[in-house]
Amino acid sequence: MKFNNDNEKQVFEKLKKALPGIIKEKCAGYDELYGYKLNSESLTPEEVEKYYDEKIADCLLYKLCKAYQFEYTTIVQNLVDILKWRKEFNPLSCAYKEVHNKELQNVGILTFDANGDANKKAVTWNLYGQLVKRKELFQDVNKFVRYRIGLMEKGLSLLDFTTEDNCYMTQVHDYKGVSVWRMDSDIKSCSKTVIGIFQKYYPELLYAKYFVNVPTVFGWVYDLIKKFVDESTRKKFVVLTDGKKLGQYLKDCPQEGYGGADKQNNLSKQNVTNVHPTEYGLYILQKQIIEDVD
Ligand code: HEM
């Protein structure tokens, strides 16, 4: 955590001190962010040992401070919105409990390259081009969104928030196969909803986003969609007509299809499938099962 001046440090410390009260009074006690416990108040030493990591909790609070330019009131308002949304939407369930449509699951890939460049180690791939003829998969916005948020949460589990070189994620959208295509209203609703959720509830997590195999004729789609995206996120976007150029940005991605250095593995062989909830994430999911039964 790097503070640029005393004011930033003071805002962080004020937030940390006020956190137990904010969580109790404004978030109905919900204190989980990306699987981690933010608050250690009223825990037994055993529970602290099992569920709470002060360094991670501090790094997450710092991320929020950074996301909202160390403006205390804005940080608190957004923190409350994020925790209330997580309590309600239950993104951990999307990632670790719910079963999603197989075709959707097949186009969502996670890769992790420990030797990758800073903040390009954990990469989420969305092979949306493969779904161009499967418009029915976008008809139920809620189902699609829950699948996509599940993938986002799994991707986050590959980050280490206490480091500087793996505390952001990179994403790739591969639009291979999208040739003759009109902006379908269901796809538009799904995209718009996901973009809105990412912007509001997942701040300061994206390092870069590559859109590959985008035919030049689809420049208008990019111009249309980017209107929903705020300026700071847009700056992280790179559009590549040729998928094989991706290797210039993600050096160890598969050579097959993407021009990277990995000649042996294709994307599905790089796919990380053994992602698990954190101890605290698991505790929350189990608690919900017990509450559901009751
Ligand atoms: C088969 C056609 C397409 C599908 C199914 C699709 C799907 C999606 C979805 C679901 C999102 C939400 C964000 C996410 O999932 O990470 C999204 C975002 C986006 N898409 Fe597409 N898309 C398509 C075509 C295109 C094309 C041709 C372009 C042109 C470059 C494009 C550019 C974008 C941009 C700029 C975003 C915003 C990304 C963000 O805010 O993170 N899309 N798309």
Side-chain angles (χ1 to χ4, degrees):
M1 291 190 301
K2 270 194 220 131
F3 298 105
N4 291 315
N5 50 51
D6 283 351
N7 177 53
E8 290 190 358
K9 197 160 186 277
Q10 279 160 16
V11 169
F12 171 82
E13 277 162 6
K14 185 175 170 188
L15 180 68
K16 190 169 171 183
K17 201 161 165 225
L19 192 72
I22 297 171
I23 285 171
K24 201 166 156 192
E25 282 150 34
K26 300 190 172 163
C27 308
Y30 194 85
D31 67 351
E32 173 275 335
L33 187 61
Y34 318 137
Y36 298 102
K37 192 167 182 21
L38 292 179
N39 180 21
S40 64
E41 215 187 54
S42 66
L43 290 185
T44 64
E46 292 77 41
E47 284 169 334
V48 170
E49 175 73 21
K50 201 167 174 193
Y51 300 127
Y52 180 72
D53 183 322
E54 187 172 12
K55 209 170 163 206
I56 297 178
D58 282 358
C59 289
L60 289 174
L61 288 187
Y62 173 80
K63 232 182 208 308
L64 288 171
C65 291
K66 208 171 159 198
Y68 306 107
Q69 292 81 43
F70 289 85
E71 286 169 19
Y72 186 75
T73 321
T74 319
I75 302 165
V76 172
Q77 187 53 57
N78 280 284
L79 170 65
V80 170
D81 291 349
I82 293 169
L83 295 188
K84 277 165 105 176
W85 176 80
R86 292 187 72 86
K87 185 172 175 11
E88 176 84 30
F89 191 91
N90 202 353
L92 292 177
S93 160
C94 299
Y96 302 110
K97 206 164 122 191
E98 293 162 34
V99 178
H100 302 286
N101 180 293
K102 197 131 191 56
E103 282 179 89
L104 288 177
Q105 290 198 56
N106 289 342
V107 299
I109 307 266
L110 297 174
T111 59
F112 185 78
D113 174 12
N115 300 317
D117 291 337
N119 295 312
K120 290 183 174 179
K121 297 176 195 299
V123 183
T124 306
W125 303 70
N126 293 285
L127 313 180
Y128 287 139
Q130 292 185 17
L131 301 182
V132 69
K133 294 204 178 85
R134 306 308 315 268
K135 298 212 169 115
E136 70 281 6
L137 295 173
F138 298 92
Q139 267 163 11
D140 188 331
V141 178
N142 187 47
K143 271 194 186 155
F144 179 84
V145 171
R146 295 197 72 78
Y147 147 75
R148 181 65 185 95
I149 296 302
L151 185 65
M152 178 68 171
E153 291 285 327
K154 286 182 184 165
L156 290 175
S157 77
L158 301 177
L159 298 182
D160 179 349
F161 294 108
T162 64
T163 64
E164 290 212 344
D165 66 351
N166 185 31
C167 59
Y168 289 88
M169 61 159 56
T170 287
Q171 299 182 358
V172 177
H173 282 206
D174 185 348
Y175 290 126
K176 189 171 176 200
V178 182
S179 53
V180 185
W181 175 71
R182 285 189 305 122
M183 193 65 186
D184 180 272
S185 65
D186 292 333
I187 294 182
K188 199 169 152 192
S189 319
C190 287
S191 313
K192 225 175 141 181
T193 311
V194 174
I195 291 168
I197 293 177
F198 283 176
Q199 288 196 160
K200 183 117 183 72
Y201 304 120
Y202 292 92
E204 206 56 29
L205 292 166
L206 183 72
Y207 183 73
K209 191 149 179 159
Y210 299 99
F211 299 86
V212 303
N213 292 312
V214 181
T216 352
V217 291
F218 287 118
W220 66 271
V221 180
Y222 184 72
D223 291 340
L224 179 88
I225 299 184
K226 73 179 188 192
K227 287 196 188 123
F228 310 136
V229 182
D230 65 39
E231 171 86 31
S232 58
T233 307
R234 239 184 293 154
K235 284 194 187 138
K236 298 172 181 172
F237 292 175
V238 177
V239 181
L240 299 170
T241 317
D242 179 3
K244 294 222 169 72
K245 293 223 168 102
L246 187 62
Q248 294 172 13
Y249 299 85
L250 291 179
K251 57 182 169 60
D252 293 326
C253 72
Q255 187 172 70
E256 190 183 312
Y258 299 107
D262 189 345
K263 293 183 186 164
Q264 270 158 21
N265 299 306
N266 59 20
L267 194 59
S268 57
K269 281 199 197 141
Q270 280 198 2
N271 193 9
V272 181
T273 48
N274 60 340
V275 277
H276 306 289
T278 58
E279 277 291 342
Y280 190 53
L282 196 63
Y283 166 80
I284 288 193
L285 289 167
Q286 284 168 347
K287 200 166 129 216
Q288 284 159 0
I289 296 174
I290 295 166
E291 280 165 7
D292 286 351
V293 172
D294 285 352

